């Protein structure tokens, strides 16, 4: 059965000293709350993975990365492979975030290749999908999301599909303070789950956690997470404050 998950995406934020403070504060704050019903994941920038991984050893959260190379090891200057991530204690990795699609021209094909590399190392991919404002206003959002899900994931076997997490992050809601309504989120999450059911089976669809991302905060998380097909959140800005982040994680 699918798990409740709250993942913090720190993006390209925090100095090393600030990251040290934040992760220790998250570890401390977690002790005050009951998070048995939710898996908490922290995704810092690459240079802080070792720090976050070390703190995670005595704390109740998992470590995630924000990106991975689509190549194995070799002459790919500046890239980080899935086997390197595994060696750092990484259990989850975000792929296909809209910021990577936009600024680094990542395609659905790139995303699918990265997912393969992650699964080979037994790292759980958190694949992001989501439409732009223009696509939603043009009524193309279902089509865009169908393509992202099909081209990113549907080459996988049923077993591998069940090992993935999907995050629905409408681009117009990211960092804008404009959250999708709970109905908008539920509509897309149910659509994604239906796609998985049609391609694989209801059993497989029920195993895949689908997270919502985009201006999620302690005030709106409970309402969003109460929807049937919303299994948690991928949190940007609010994951940079320990208390806000953990409050969101306790919103089920
Ligand atoms: P915000 O929560 O800052 O809108 O960011 C969401 C996001 O992009 C998480 O990956």
């Amino acid at each position: 059965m699918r798990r409740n998950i709250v993942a913090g995406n720190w993006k390209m934020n925090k100095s090393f000293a600030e990251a040290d403070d934040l992760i220790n504060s998250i570890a401390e704050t977690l002790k005050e709350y009951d998070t048995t019903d939710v898996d908490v994941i922290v995704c810092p920038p690459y240079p802080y993975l070792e720090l976050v991984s070390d703190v995670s050893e005595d704390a109740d959260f998992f470590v995630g990365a924000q990106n991975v190379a689509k190549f194995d090891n070799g002459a790919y200057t500046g890239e980080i492979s899935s086997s390197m991530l595994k060696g750092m204690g990484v259990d989850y990795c975000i792929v296909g975030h809209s910021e990577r699609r936009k600024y680094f021209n990542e395609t659905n094909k790139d995303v699918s290749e990265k997912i393969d590399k992650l699964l080979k190392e037994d790292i759980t991919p958190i694949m992001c999908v989501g439409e732009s404002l223009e696509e939603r206003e043009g009524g193309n959002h279902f089509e865009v999301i169908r393509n992202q899900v099909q081209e990113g994931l549907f080459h996988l076997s049923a077993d591998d599909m069940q090992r993935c997490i999907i995050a629905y992050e409408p681009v117009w809601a990211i960092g804008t303070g404009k959250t999708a309504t709970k109905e908008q989120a539920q509509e897309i999450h149910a659509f994604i789950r239906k796609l998985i059911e049609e391609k694989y089976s209801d059993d497989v669809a029920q195993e895949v956690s689908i997270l919502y991302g985009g201006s999620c905060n302690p005030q709106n998380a409970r309402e969003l997470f109460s929807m049937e097909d919303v299994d948690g959140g991928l949190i940007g800005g609010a994951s940079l404050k320990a208390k806000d982040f953990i409050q969101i994680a306790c919103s089920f």
Side-chain angles (χ1 to χ4, degrees):
M1 199 55 196
R2 58 199 206 245
R3 296 274 306 156
N4 292 330
I5 293 167
V6 167
N9 175 9
W10 289 6
K11 306 192 181 184
M12 197 172 74
N13 289 299
K14 301 289 177 190
S15 67
F16 186 79
E18 289 166 346
D20 195 357
D21 278 353
L22 177 57
I23 199 57
N24 280 293
S25 178
I26 286 172
E28 282 307 304
T29 311
L30 271 168
K31 289 183 192 155
E32 298 164 22
Y33 289 84
D34 179 9
T35 51
T36 38
D37 287 342
V38 54
D39 290 342
V40 177
I41 305 166
V42 177
C43 306
Y46 283 142
Y48 309 154
L49 279 172
E50 186 175 5
L51 161 74
V52 169
S53 182
D54 285 349
V55 175
S56 78
E57 281 174 23
D58 296 313
D60 202 10
F61 67 84
F62 298 95
V63 185
Q66 298 176 15
N67 183 32
V68 66
K70 64 178 179 179
F71 306 107
D72 289 323
N73 303 311
Y76 300 103
T77 302
E79 289 292 284
I80 308 285
S81 70
S82 55
S83 61
M84 291 173 185
L85 294 179
K86 194 66 194 175
M88 305 286 295
V90 168
D91 289 317
Y92 295 84
C93 183
I94 298 168
V95 271
H97 193 283
S98 59
E99 288 150 15
R100 296 214 55 87
R101 293 178 190 261
K102 178 176 173 191
Y103 301 122
F104 305 97
N105 303 316
E106 267 187 27
T107 63
N108 289 333
K109 185 163 183 298
D110 295 329
V111 171
S112 75
E113 289 172 11
K114 290 179 177 203
I115 287 171
D116 290 343
K117 297 296 176 201
L118 292 171
L119 289 172
K120 210 170 87 186
E121 293 295 334
D122 209 13
I123 296 172
T124 302
I126 304 175
M127 188 191 80
C128 302
V129 299
E131 80 285 0
S132 66
L133 185 60
E134 205 181 12
E135 287 161 344
R136 177 162 280 263
E137 286 178 343
N140 300 322
H141 44 302
F142 290 106
E143 186 64 26
V144 169
I145 285 157
R146 182 190 292 116
N147 279 342
Q148 290 172 336
V149 170
Q150 285 178 341
E151 292 177 21
L153 291 167
F154 282 3
H155 63 291
L156 297 176
S157 67
D159 280 351
D160 282 347
M161 181 67 230
Q162 291 177 65
R163 296 164 64 201
C164 296
I165 297 169
I166 298 173
Y168 169 55
E169 298 205 309
V171 178
W172 46 271
I174 296 177
T176 59
K178 194 167 183 286
T179 320
T181 63
K182 61 183 195 303
E183 291 81 14
Q184 284 173 323
Q186 169 59 25
E187 183 180 42
I188 298 292
H189 285 226
F191 174 70
I192 293 170
R193 204 177 303 285
K194 188 84 190 150
L195 290 173
I196 301 170
E197 185 194 319
E198 284 167 5
K199 167 73 180 174
Y200 297 94
S201 67
D202 185 44
D203 284 353
V204 173
Q206 292 304 328
E207 287 297 320
V208 177
S209 293
I210 306 177
L211 315 183
Y212 169 78
S215 299
C216 192
N217 60 42
Q219 286 72 47
N220 59 31
R222 190 170 291 281
E223 185 173 88
L224 286 158
F225 299 174
S226 71
M227 303 309 280
E228 184 175 349
D229 288 292
V230 180
D231 305 311
L234 180 55
I235 318 302
S239 74
L240 299 172
K241 290 190 186 131
K243 196 134 195 151
D244 285 3
F245 181 52
I246 304 309
Q247 271 178 17
I248 294 172
C250 294
S251 297
F252 290 93

